[in-house]
Amino acid sequence: RVPIHNPQRIFSLDVECVAVGYTHERSSRAACEMALVDTGGRQLMHCFVKPSQHIVSYLTPYTGIQHGDLERLGAVTLMEARRRLRAVLPKDAILVGQCPAGDVEWSGLKMGEDFEDTVDLAEVYRGRDGTVCSLQHEARVLLNDEYPSRRPHDPRWDAKVSVQLYHKAARASQEELEEMRARLTSLAHWPPRPSTASRYGYEIDGVCLSMYSARHCTCGRRIEVN
């Protein structure tokens, strides 16, 4: 079953990152843009972030950001971005998202201090055979909401559809939830559209993008279990 919480405690935080190292590990990424929405998908906070580390790639196909953009867009420090998040995020908040551990880590928020818990949509919608779909695929199939093809990621869109997908699963019966999981990998919707990583050969500017597949990994670091 889906973890059920008071709807008013549901929020979603999404963080986009630049590369500050060449591996696929989270430590090789740093926040460059953040968005927080409430249970209704209303934007509570959005800002660009200037990493303190040296940027080795702006990962432009993901972020849409190029050299000089962060300064032009008025990017703030991570400390200031975190202060803004804490100002609007209740301490009993439940953060929902696709693999939200990364967003939490990059934001610098602390579970049990800044918010109460997380719900991982990758687990909510995991198929019986273990298949995990992307947020974009879940939104396209289950919400009929499709992000424009080949556009950079927008954390505001990701956060908005995350709360919608959570509420859809939370309101569903177990039978309805199983039907949604099956629909994600049905012949009508499978295979999913190519990911940004696959379109770029799992590497941008020498930065490895293959966190979950040893076959495509170029950095040799530990592969995450999905």
Side-chain angles (χ1 to χ4, degrees):
R1 289 291 299 167
V2 181
I4 304 300
H5 299 282
N6 181 332
Q8 296 307 311
R9 295 172 60 198
I10 299 300
F11 296 79
S12 183
L13 169 68
D14 193 80
V15 179
E16 298 300 327
C17 291
V18 293
V20 294
Y22 290 97
T23 78
H24 59 245
E25 297 167 304
R26 290 177 189 161
S27 60
S28 282
R29 305 290 184 267
C32 67
E33 187 179 4
M34 295 183 188
L36 179 74
V37 304
D38 66 11
T39 189
R42 182 173 64 96
Q43 180 181 306
L44 299 180
M45 197 282 276
H46 171 254
C47 69
F48 291 91
V49 183
K50 176 69 172 175
S52 59
Q53 307 98 310
H54 173 67
I55 297 171
V56 302
S57 173
Y58 287 90
L59 300 179
T60 303
Y62 283 100
T63 65
I65 292 172
Q66 301 183 54
H67 180 73
D69 286 348
L70 291 176
E71 291 77 10
R72 180 178 59 81
L73 293 166
V76 301
T77 65
L78 179 59
M79 184 178 297
E80 171 59 18
R82 192 159 55 236
R83 184 194 68 77
R84 295 182 187 184
L85 283 174
R86 287 171 171 158
V88 293
L89 184 66
K91 292 187 181 298
D92 67 346
I94 307 297
L95 292 178
V96 304
Q98 193 83 355
C99 304
D103 302 286
V104 169
E105 181 177 334
W106 294 316
S107 72
L109 295 180
K110 302 294 184 185
M111 188 163 67
E113 296 180 17
D114 299 312
F115 64 95
E116 186 170 310
D117 206 352
T118 62
V119 175
D120 187 352
L121 295 173
E123 294 302 320
V124 169
Y125 288 106
R126 182 186 288 272
R128 284 190 173 183
D129 63 352
T131 299
V132 172
C133 301
S134 70
L135 182 71
Q136 288 76 17
H137 185 68
E138 292 164 359
R140 182 168 66 87
V141 175
L142 302 179
L143 302 177
N144 197 29
D145 189 344
E146 186 161 9
Y147 196 71
S149 177
R150 298 181 183 271
R151 284 274 303 278
H153 291 189
D154 185 337
R156 293 165 292 190
W157 185 88
D158 286 7
K160 179 197 72 172
V161 299
S162 289
V163 294
Q164 292 173 349
L165 285 164
Y166 169 79
H167 290 311
K168 190 174 187 70
R171 289 192 297 262
S173 67
Q174 188 62 33
E175 182 179 356
E176 290 169 333
L177 181 58
E178 291 295 342
E179 189 278 330
M180 286 190 281
R181 290 167 173 161
R183 199 187 329 161
L184 288 169
T185 55
S186 66
L187 289 176
H189 302 294
W190 199 263
R193 294 178 182 175
S195 66
T196 301
S198 65
R199 293 204 312 268
Y200 283 84
Y202 298 93
E203 185 176 290
I204 294 175
D205 298 333
V207 177
C208 178
L209 306 176
S210 186
M211 179 177 283
Y212 301 109
S213 171
R215 182 162 63 96
H216 299 295
C217 176
T218 59
C219 68
R221 297 302 177 91
R222 185 176 67 86
I223 297 300
E224 294 283 332
V225 177
N226 200 339

